[in-house]
Amino acid sequence: MDGGQIIASVLERQGVRQLYTLCGGHISPILVASKQLGIQIIDVRDEASAVFAADATARMTGIPGVAAVTAGPGLTNTITAVKNAQLAESPVVILGGATATVLEGRGSLQDIDQVALMQPHVKQVFTPRAVRQLVPTLEGAFRIAREGVPGPVFVEAPVDLLYPEATVREWYIDQGGVKEPKNLVGYATRAYLEQHLARQFWGAPGPKAHAPEVIPMMEAGRREVEKVAGWIRGAKRPVFVVGSQTVSVAAEVPAIAGALESIGAPVWLAGGARGLLGREHSLQYRHKRTKALKAADVVVVFGFPLDFRLGYGRSIGSKAKLATVNLGVEALSMNRKPTLGVHAHPGRFITQLAASLDGVDAGRWQPWFGELSEREDARNAEIVEQGKAELDGVNPIDLFLQLEELMAEDSVLVVDGGDFVATAAYIVRPRKPLSWLDPGVFGTLGVGGGFAVASCAVRPEAEVWLIYGDGSSGYSLAEIDTCVRRGLAPIALIGNDGSWQQIARDQVEILGDACGTELRRTAYHTVVEGYGGRGLLLDDPAKIGETLREAQAIAKAGTPVAINVMIGKTDFRKGSLSM
């Protein structure tokens, strides 16, 4: 087995079904060998999209996503996506091609210090230098990506570890001009290269690939569980905030949802946890979270730091008993010291809590539920009323209200944008767990193409909606080409107002100038046609439903489609300054 085949064997044993890439000579053996083992090779148009796709795959399956990129600029192009995965706590393995080991630091093509580049953005960097190290190195990378706080890991794969020994020998000896040395320098060079080859290939191929290690979910101690359970038994106004980390073990998601139902406390879902309780649930609230947190007497925050999304901890009333549950020790007390910080997997803690409570009497919480539901219903009614407003263009609120009614029950929602996407987040509801993909805490634009590619690949029967701002679509609309080539069919919904509106709104009001925020009302539907997809123009509010249904039919027939929606301006998100 050559190094490419060895790496492919590890990927297969780890349960990898998709390998995202943009081709390069440094990584070709990995791609070819992986394809031969039945792994789907999905070659995208930007290395960032490869890592974004790997990130999305990890979130949806619980198995680390894998991206293979070539050396130098291939790797530097991934940095934003790698950092996004790090902050989103997604287990991703990045395989980075590299120059031959004997040429490092000598000015070869695309040779840079990749270790220094990647170290700040990943959990660990691996640099195997012999073929026999590939299996244990890769298996270690997968384990580390999953254990503790999940995150990305980088494995540098020098090109001379990937090809057969005979080929590498030809490069070193024959093409190196020392096959038949003519002087002492030549003999010395050949001896050095022979020794180097011996070290590289001694003991190859090394150990066989193993099945992935079982990594247990970190449990809380009995005293911690009982303490929080006691708070909940005595609470009059409990609130649960559930974040992405809670659903990081995909196989446990049904049990976690069942445990939340058993406890019966009001729940706000955030990030990747959206959809955990389905489209609608009597325990689930979506609006007025800050008011609820201010009034609550017990707040439990699961897998969610007290960062800007929770007002740096100030959104929670000062008199409330506050428990934070997180895999990261530092996250437990970020910005505010909780009454109790629990270092455990938040999903496991929910199931432990449910077992301890064993059916708490939630009847006494009815007045609290009534108060929360009254605010929820009022906000929903307000949104419906705002959707009736006539604008110069399509009302985005009306658009999303109609989309909410038309989306299939197996829909996956990918969101990539600012103002348009934030409007959608108030209205459209994930139907199932692990079906909402947003960038995460980094707020990265450009995730859309890669996330959508992965969603279609991982769930080929699902209806995948990619909600784009017109600004953010410019980062990854070229991945429609990838979708056409690979038989993937997402539906892109592009909110086109010719503006980076999330920035422009406050910039113009505060500073009086729209400079840098103005775009053209570009014919994105025509752009998509150029990539081989179908493009639809929606500029008539009366045709919203008709156009959405047409797009659904096109995607169901196997063709990616984009709807270029000419939206009007609203004050729906006035005052939501993004910084």
Side-chain angles (χ1 to χ4, degrees), residues 20-63:
Y20 303 99
T21 189
L22 198 159
C23 67
H26 292 92
I27 57 171
S28 293
I30 299 173
L31 308 184
V32 172
S34 296
K35 179 184 177 183
Q36 290 171 347
L37 288 183
I39 296 172
Q40 189 179 11
I41 305 300
I42 302 180
D43 50 318
V44 296
R45 298 302 302 271
D46 186 302
E47 286 91 354
S49 290
V51 177
F52 284 134
D55 180 345
T57 297
R59 299 188 199 190
M60 298 174 75
T61 66
I63 299 170

Side-chain angles (χ1 to χ4, degrees), residues 114-371:
Q114 300 188 146
V115 171
L117 174 75
M118 297 298 287
Q119 272 180 333
H121 314 296
V122 297
K123 293 181 72 176
Q124 190 163 329
V125 170
F126 290 90
T127 56
R129 288 299 179 263
V131 174
R132 65 184 178 277
Q133 297 172 348
L134 290 175
V135 168
T137 295
L138 262 292
E139 290 180 344
F142 274 86
R143 183 189 72 253
I144 288 170
R146 293 166 54 220
E147 68 185 6
V149 178
V153 174
F154 174 59
V155 179
E156 186 175 65
V159 68
D160 51 346
L161 299 190
L162 303 182
Y163 280 86
E165 183 176 1
T167 302
V168 178
R169 174 174 290 276
E170 182 181 347
W171 294 344
Y172 280 9
I173 307 300
D174 296 356
Q175 296 178 17
V178 293
K179 185 175 183 181
E180 298 178 357
K182 294 181 172 54
N183 53 43
L184 187 60
V185 173
Y187 279 106
T189 302
R190 174 159 183 161
Y192 168 76
L193 293 174
E194 291 283 6
Q195 288 179 341
H196 192 84
L197 282 165
R199 286 194 299 269
Q200 279 188 299
F201 289 95
W202 180 86
K208 290 185 178 180
H210 301 89
E213 288 186 36
V214 176
I215 299 177
M217 296 169 72
M218 185 185 297
E219 294 192 346
R222 178 179 292 182
R223 288 185 179 181
E224 294 171 316
V225 175
E226 287 300 327
K227 188 168 189 176
V228 177
W231 292 352
I232 292 171
R233 289 189 189 98
K236 293 182 179 180
R237 300 178 302 281
V239 166
F240 285 2
V241 179
V242 179
S244 302
Q245 198 183 84
T246 310
V247 296
S248 64
V249 181
E252 295 295 321
V253 164
I256 295 165
L260 284 173
E261 291 181 323
S262 173
I263 296 168
V267 177
W268 272 260
L269 302 172
R274 289 170 60 108
L276 177 59
L277 296 175
R279 181 184 180 187
E280 294 180 322
H281 196 284
S282 59
L283 300 179
Q284 178 178 318
Y285 293 90
R286 303 169 67 242
H287 307 306
K288 305 298 181 181
R289 185 174 69 189
T290 298
K291 281 193 174 182
L293 290 170
K294 285 291 186 185
D297 56 0
V298 172
V299 176
V300 189
V301 180
F302 299 93
F304 198 87
L306 303 181
D307 59 14
F308 68 93
R309 294 167 293 180
L310 288 175
Y312 306 99
R314 295 192 301 272
S315 296
I316 301 165
S318 59
K319 295 181 180 180
K321 292 185 176 71
L322 168 63
T324 56
V325 189
N326 207 288
L327 286 167
V329 174
E330 293 182 359
L332 294 174
S333 56
M334 178 185 284
N335 296 311
R336 175 174 172 173
K337 186 177 181 180
T339 316
L340 177 66
V342 182
H343 186 212
H345 193 290
R348 175 65 79 211
F349 188 78
I350 288 172
T351 59
Q352 289 182 273
L353 197 57
S356 177
L357 288 165
D358 193 24
V360 67
D361 177 17
R364 57 197 168 77
W365 295 339
Q366 287 311 307
W368 178 230
F369 274 106
E371 181 181 334

